[in-house]
Amino acid sequence: MKARITGVATYLPERTMSSADVERRIEGYVPYGGVVERLTGVRRRHVARDDQQASDLAAEAARGLDHSGVDLLVFASASQDMVEPATAHIVAAKLGLSCPVFDIKNACNSMINGIQIAEALILSGAYRKVLVCSGEIPSRAIRWRVRDRAQFVDSFAGYTMSDTGAAVTVAADMERGIFYRDFAADSTAWAVGTLPGGGSAHPRDPEYSYFRGDGRRLKEAFEMIGPDIFLNALKRTGLTWDDFAIVAVHQVALPYLRFLAQVLGIPADRLVVSLPEHGNCASTTLPLQLALGGWRPGDRVALLGLGGGISTGVILAEM
């Protein structure tokens, strides 16, 4: 028996902001016009309505899938509605589901880890069909009043982020499904990118409610962990990237995507480049690329995850 990704759906809020809109909204320091798009390649990102929560975006995406037979719901996201209860409960209530639920959180790798857990639970025989969903609202953590250049640089990653929802169903299948998975982490780099507020370290101070990150150090951390986890996936399966209809890669900036694709040897026609028109969608990036891509039943797809903390992951699947 295998576990197969049987459905993929996304929700993209109608409201969008261009990078020029973002820069106009920032009060205080902006080094020069056009800096966000020039450095990242992001032209546009989605922005949730003020009355929408992370659970709403996940539920909207999940409504595009068949819920019949779902016996577990996993909410896998960097965002959450509140510390308690698990946001999965809120999503399940909005969808009218009464199955067991729980949350998974691992920054931008939350969804790929959710799929990993869904596969493991299906192969164990505990469940037959799992709904894994995410709602990301990083716009609530953007710093709009910037004191100086140092604070602008520290806040820069937030200006690329996008509010999005995504959902996948993973179900038992006798013929095809996920056939390879591998995960790694270098947790010594956890402080490179953080959203510090809301936990026990900084429970109430609003100053810690903004995303902070050092893009240069984050890139260096991923370079230190190296590309072996992705290249080993090919070596161990005897496949090449040409054997895949889609190679979905987490995307934070076009220069780094081009660098990673070159290092890994991924052909340009296998990539789904979602970043320019949708921004950095955090954990929903990989399912968004699956939804945008041109795969057909029976095609192979590769999911390459990169997440703060830092962590990497790869899943190879036959759809």
Side-chain angles (χ1 to χ4, degrees):
M1 184 176 68
K2 295 183 177 181
R4 182 167 65 91
I5 299 172
T6 56
V8 182
T10 59
Y11 171 70
L12 305 175
E14 292 183 5
R15 180 188 171 197
T16 63
M17 290 183 70
S18 69
S19 289
D21 294 333
V22 167
E23 292 179 16
R24 280 191 290 267
R25 183 171 172 182
I26 299 171
E27 299 178 18
Y29 181 89
V30 179
Y32 56 84
V35 61
V36 173
E37 183 172 343
R38 189 180 74 82
L39 293 183
T40 68
V42 176
R43 293 191 289 267
R44 195 172 307 277
R45 74 278 292 139
H46 301 273
V47 183
R49 300 192 312 267
D50 291 344
D51 64 343
Q52 288 181 310
Q53 307 304 326
S55 60
D56 291 308
L57 273 58
E60 287 288 352
R63 289 188 180 101
L65 299 175
D66 176 14
H67 302 155
S68 61
V70 166
D71 49 6
L72 175 68
L73 185 151
V74 177
F75 180 78
S77 178
S79 301
Q80 59 188 22
D81 281 19
M82 55 190 70
V83 172
E84 178 125 353
T87 303
H89 284 292
I90 305 173
V91 177
K94 290 175 178 178
L95 294 175
L97 296 176
S98 57
C99 57
V101 304
F102 58 81
D103 285 3
I104 288 176
K105 181 184 289 292
N106 190 21
C108 295
N109 272 351
S110 297
M111 276 293 284
I112 193 172
N113 286 134
I115 295 170
Q116 172 198 14
I117 297 301
E119 183 206 17
L121 290 172
I122 288 170
L123 295 184
S124 76
Y127 298 98
R128 295 284 300 175
K129 185 176 181 180
V130 182
L131 173 62
V132 184
C133 55
S134 174
E136 296 285 14
I137 306 191
S139 66
R140 308 272 163 90
I142 295 174
R143 185 187 293 276
W144 295 112
R145 292 185 178 182
V146 179
R147 181 180 59 249
D148 51 26
R149 183 182 185 278
Q151 193 171 64
F152 179 84
V153 171
D154 193 47
S155 308
F156 186 78
Y159 304 132
T160 70
M161 304 292 281
S162 186
D163 299 344
T164 47
V168 301
T169 47
V170 185
D173 192 293
M174 297 305 297
E175 296 182 358
R176 62 184 193 269
I178 296 168
F179 59 88
Y180 182 89
R181 82 292 302 147
D182 194 16
F183 295 86
D186 178 5
S187 299
T188 61
W190 71 265
V192 174
T194 63
L195 206 172
S200 61
H202 306 287
R204 295 176 184 87
D205 190 338
E207 178 60 26
Y208 292 98
S209 64
Y210 303 108
F211 185 84
R212 299 174 171 183
D214 186 324
R216 179 183 57 80
R217 288 180 59 205
L218 189 62
K219 179 175 180 290
E220 291 173 354
F222 280 118
E223 289 174 355
M224 285 293 293
I225 201 171
D228 287 352
I229 188 172
F230 305 123
L231 297 175
N232 286 340
L234 300 181
K235 293 176 184 177
R236 292 168 181 168
T237 58
L239 299 172
T240 71
W241 298 125
D242 287 326
D243 293 313
F244 295 86
I246 291 173
V247 181
V249 182
H250 182 64
Q251 298 172 16
V252 297
L254 283 185
Y256 187 70
L257 176 63
R258 296 188 187 107
F259 167 78
L260 186 63
Q262 182 178 17
V263 168
L264 298 179
I266 303 173
D269 64 354
R270 294 298 187 268
L271 292 173
V272 179
V273 183
S274 57
L275 187 76
E277 293 304 318
H278 302 289
N280 179 352
C281 299
S283 72
T284 67
T285 299
L286 300 182
L288 173 62
Q289 291 175 29
L290 283 183
L292 294 174
W295 58 271
R296 295 176 295 181
D299 283 347
R300 297 189 189 99
V301 300
L303 308 179
L304 312 187
L306 305 162
I310 64 172
S311 63
T312 55
V314 55
I315 285 179
L316 307 182
E318 191 176 6
M319 302 295 281

